[in-house]
Amino acid sequence: MISTDSFILYLVPFFGALIGIGFALGIRNFFQSNLNLFLSFSAAFILGIIFLKMLRELFLHNYRDNVELFILLGMLFQICIERFSQGIEHGHGPKDTSHKYYPIILIAGLSLHAFVEGFPLTHSTSLLWGVAIHKISIGFVLTMALGISSISKILKMGFLFIFSLATPLGMLVSGLQSFDEYIPYLIAFSLGILLHISSQIIFEGGKGHKLSNRNLFMIILGILSAYLL
């Protein structure tokens, strides 16, 4: 049975996605104009948590043979997933909306990404908050992308709900006793995904890949926040 504390943890990324959806429906123009800064902070925060906490824990206390290979496999997995998600994880709008099934392909790719992203979150509260913050930007861009599609409002809301549930479901699966033996590999795989996304967001953070002073400030603030947490 899921305890009350665990249930609350599962709700954190769920509500992160809902907040992003709410921003897209409510304060769209304001958030869109500051999305780049928000992404820089969240990516730097996640990178800080991974390097300052998660990797040390993985290699010192939960090391298994070939666990480092699963970090690389996670990065490769994310590169493949982006053929379907079209880079929405980085805050990009969809590049190709001409395919009539693109909303389904989009949701399938993003939900699979979000599901795997949930694997390490029951093992790190710090990373949980970082991913929840990142979910705000993904929920926002995804809502905007679905808004320009021709599917019905009911389908749009259904797709958004599926995406919002994907990360809590990943957390639930990784918390099952039958997966205890594989937890280090699941965490390493998920960290590879997050490393790829976060580093790419930072490198793409400015126009022409040149960081503005505000972007640089948000990156420093994100890393500092991870250090202090």
Side-chain angles (χ1 to χ4, degrees), residues 152-227:
S152 68
K153 288 185 178 180
I154 294 177
L155 269 180
K156 289 175 185 177
M157 297 307 295
F159 285 160
L160 290 171
F161 186 68
I162 290 170
F163 166 73
S164 301
L165 281 180
T167 297
L169 285 176
M171 295 171 65
L172 185 63
V173 168
S174 69
L176 296 175
Q177 279 190 332
S178 55
F179 282 89
D180 283 351
E181 182 182 351
Y182 307 104
I183 287 300
Y185 299 109
L186 294 177
I187 291 175
F189 190 78
S190 185
L191 292 185
I193 291 173
L194 292 169
L195 280 169
H196 173 77
I197 292 173
S198 299
S199 57
Q200 193 156 353
I201 287 173
I202 287 177
F203 292 137
E204 294 177 348
K207 293 180 179 179
H209 292 209
K210 293 181 179 179
L211 291 175
S212 67
N213 290 334
R214 293 202 302 167
N215 280 106
L216 181 59
F217 173 77
M218 296 304 287
I219 291 170
I220 293 172
L221 183 62
I223 293 173
L224 181 62
S225 298
Y227 176 77

Side-chain angles (χ1 to χ4, degrees), residues 11-222:
L11 289 178
V12 171
F14 176 75
F15 280 110
L18 289 187
I19 289 170
I21 293 168
F23 283 170
L25 298 175
I27 54 173
R28 175 182 304 183
N29 292 335
F30 172 80
F31 192 75
Q32 191 165 26
S33 63
N34 292 283
L35 179 62
N36 191 264
L37 298 177
F38 190 86
L39 283 166
S40 293
F41 173 83
S42 63
F45 184 81
I46 290 173
L47 276 180
I49 293 297
I50 290 174
F51 280 104
L52 297 173
K53 303 178 188 292
M54 295 297 295
L55 288 179
R56 179 174 56 189
E57 183 72 18
L58 182 64
F59 284 100
L60 290 182
H61 302 295
N62 293 308
Y63 183 77
R64 299 287 191 280
D65 288 338
N66 295 322
V67 73
E68 60 276 7
L69 174 62
F70 280 79
I71 295 177
L72 293 174
L73 288 175
M75 298 178 76
L76 180 61
F77 173 82
Q78 179 57 34
I79 292 171
C80 294
I81 283 293
E82 286 174 14
R83 294 178 62 87
F84 303 96
S85 66
Q86 300 191 40
I88 281 184
E89 303 94 322
H90 312 147
H92 298 159
K95 301 176 181 66
D96 180 16
T97 61
S98 59
H99 198 291
K100 66 176 181 177
Y101 295 118
Y102 104 87
I104 298 174
I105 295 171
L106 203 60
I107 286 296
L110 280 176
S111 296
L112 183 57
H113 156 82
F115 176 75
V116 178
E117 198 174 54
F119 290 163
L121 302 187
T122 53
H123 308 277
S124 172
T125 305
S126 302
L127 187 61
L128 172 68
W129 288 107
V131 169
I133 293 171
H134 180 58
K135 282 271 176 283
I136 295 174
S137 58
I138 301 178
F140 177 84
V141 179
L142 176 59
T143 306
M144 299 282 285
L146 290 178
I148 62 175
S149 69
S150 59
I151 61 176
S152 68
K153 288 185 178 180
I154 294 177
L155 269 180
K156 289 175 185 177
M157 297 307 295
F159 285 160
L160 290 171
F161 186 68
I162 290 170
F163 166 73
S164 301
L165 281 180
T167 297
L169 285 176
M171 295 171 65
L172 185 63
V173 168
S174 69
L176 296 175
Q177 279 190 332
S178 55
F179 282 89
D180 283 351
E181 182 182 351
Y182 307 104
I183 287 300
Y185 299 109
L186 294 177
I187 291 175
F189 190 78
S190 185
L191 292 185
I193 291 173
L194 292 169
L195 280 169
H196 173 77
I197 292 173
S198 299
S199 57
Q200 193 156 353
I201 287 173
I202 287 177
F203 292 137
E204 294 177 348
K207 293 180 179 179
H209 292 209
K210 293 181 179 179
L211 291 175
S212 67
N213 290 334
R214 293 202 302 167
N215 280 106
L216 181 59
F217 173 77
M218 296 304 287
I219 291 170
I220 293 172
L221 183 62

